[in-house]
Amino acid sequence: MSGDVEILRGDLGRILHERTRGEVDYRFGDRITRLDDDGRSVKVEFERAAAETYDFVVGADGLHSGVRALVFGDESRSLRHRGYRIASFGLPNLLDGRRGAASFCEPGRGVCLTATSPGEGRALLVSIGGPITEEDRDPGPQKRALAARFAGMGWRVPRVLECLKDAANLYVDAIATVHVDRYARGRVVLLGDAAYGGTLGGQGTSLAMVGAYVLANELSLASDPAAAFARYEARIRPYATRCQRGAARAGGFFAPRTRFGVALRDVMYGVLTSRALGGTFERMVRAAASDFALPRYGGAGA
Ligand SMILES: Cc1cc2nc3c(=O)[nH]c(=O)nc-3n(C[C@H](O)[C@H](O)[C@H](O)COP(=O)(O)OP(=O)(O)OC[C@H]3O[C@@H](n4cnc5c(N)ncnc54)[C@H](O)[C@@H]3O)c2cc1C
């Protein structure tokens, strides 16, 4: 719609893994439990594997980053909740075999359906709600709570809730944005959602990829990690801050809180996507997505 390229997260992960597994030592099913930075290197302790020492550590472990928690403190310090919860899962294409997306909302709750192929799709359920607790992460109670929260809605929502019963890949979280004073502490640096994430609506994948490109190139050029981390942050922070504004507004876009808010959103969206304004909405989305001039580094990264 906005001229961007849409790649499902799982597909992107598979492509990146396939392209790099010859050179990168991947270890699945483990996690970092302790980091000791002595100023010259970082000793890393794992839950399963034996401890190892590295020149530096990049925490690219998402919105609820374990590395961030170890180095920057509990996530309550860095996660800013935006008053909404989301749930997402795969289901058959409920858009009558068409591609694209369609959504329906009532005050405080909204459902968006996207078609990922003629036969398959994804549902996104957005509703007013607070942070997710550990108990909320259990799929059985999650499904019951979602069914109750979205009960009584019209459109295709009853079919969505039918599909929810059998959903094997349900993702539930609160909409939040990440804010840290600095992306790095000593020899540990944060990347992607861990550093400047927003649950959705903030170009998070593009931002993570661009951040990785810049960080890798700055590390390859700098004489010490601190200099590379500083240049990486100087380049990325302004772009990341702009992207996070989209994430902060995402809940209110999918599920405005009041009838007036729903009506206003519909009018604005209708005007911005109207023929008369000739693709203004698409241009806005494209401008936000490409609002970063990728540095040219030369060599392999260029
Ligand atoms: C419903 C939904 C829709 C979205 N739609 C879009 C979109 O259309 N466009 C877009 O650009 N972005 C979108 N996003 C945002 C996007 O998914 C993220 O911004 C992006 O995945 C961030 O990449 P990342 O690598 O930083 O983190 P993640 O993709 O979250 O990857 C982090 C990885 O770290 C692993 N991990 C977590 N904790 C640990 C630990 N303690 N130890 C070891 N490993 C750990 C996780 O398993 C995961 O593999 C969407 C997000 C959601 C929730």
Side-chain angles (χ1 to χ4, degrees):
M1 176 175 87
S2 54
D4 54 355
V5 178
E6 302 254 331
I7 305 174
L8 290 177
R9 183 181 174 282
D11 291 342
L12 181 62
R14 182 177 44 73
I15 293 166
L16 293 174
H17 178 238
E18 279 171 7
R19 291 290 176 98
T20 56
R21 66 183 167 197
E23 295 142 44
V24 176
D25 174 16
Y26 282 95
R27 298 179 191 184
F28 296 103
D30 207 346
R31 68 183 187 95
I32 296 171
T33 53
R34 190 182 159 99
L35 293 164
D36 275 321
D37 180 350
D38 67 6
R40 292 187 309 279
S41 59
V42 191
K43 183 180 171 202
V44 181
E45 291 182 21
F46 297 94
E47 191 172 64
R48 289 163 185 268
E52 293 200 35
T53 299
Y54 299 92
D55 292 333
F56 54 85
V57 170
V58 179
D61 49 350
L63 208 68
H64 302 285
S65 166
V67 169
R68 190 183 64 223
L70 287 173
V71 177
F72 290 74
D74 183 83
E75 74 173 26
S76 61
R77 293 182 181 195
S78 44
L79 270 195
R80 194 175 299 163
H81 285 278
R82 299 296 180 170
Y84 282 89
R85 286 184 174 194
I86 63 162
S88 175
F89 57 94
L91 73 186
N93 181 343
L94 298 186
L95 299 179
D96 306 322
R98 283 180 287 114
R99 301 297 292 250
S103 69
F104 177 79
C105 81
E106 293 176 355
R109 52 184 189 168
V111 175
C112 180
L113 293 174
T114 49
T116 50
S117 74
E120 291 175 316
R122 284 201 78 80
L124 176 68
L125 280 60
V126 181
S127 61
I128 292 173
I132 301 286
T133 64
E134 268 316 303
E135 300 83 71
D136 291 328
R137 296 198 181 278
D138 192 337
Q142 272 178 351
K143 288 184 180 181
R144 285 193 290 280
L146 282 166
R149 203 170 308 139
F150 287 84
M153 283 182 83
W155 193 57
R156 293 168 167 89
V157 181
R159 285 164 69 196
V160 171
L161 296 181
E162 256 326 290
C163 297
L164 172 66
K165 288 180 189 163
D166 300 321
N169 51 5
L170 177 64
Y171 168 91
V172 173
D173 207 345
I175 298 187
T177 48
V178 174
H179 304 270
V180 287
D181 290 345
R182 289 276 169 272
Y183 295 164
R185 286 245 173 107
R187 288 181 167 258
V188 181
V189 66
L190 301 174
L191 171 67
D193 272 9
Y196 31 74
T199 311
L200 85 163
Q203 320 283 344
T205 308
S206 317
L207 190 51
M209 294 294 291
V210 167
Y213 168 84
V214 170
L215 178 59
N217 278 289
E218 294 297 346
L219 279 165
S220 74
L221 293 175
S223 51
D224 75 301
F229 296 163
R231 288 178 58 83
Y232 152 70
E233 176 156 357
R235 286 191 187 275
I236 294 294
R237 189 178 275 277
Y239 175 47
T241 303
R242 287 195 295 277
C243 288
Q244 285 187 309
R245 289 188 198 128
R249 288 193 295 260
F253 176 79
F254 284 107
R257 289 172 179 267
T258 62
R259 288 202 181 284
F260 177 73
V262 173
L264 188 65
R265 197 268 325 249
D266 288 349
V267 169
M268 297 275 290
Y269 188 75
V271 169
L272 290 173
T273 54
S274 68
R275 282 210 183 142
L277 284 191
T280 303
F281 186 77
E282 284 83 349
R283 278 202 298 280
M284 285 165 62
V285 175
R286 196 179 308 144
S290 54
D291 186 21
F292 183 80
L294 212 56
R296 292 209 152 268
Y297 286 100

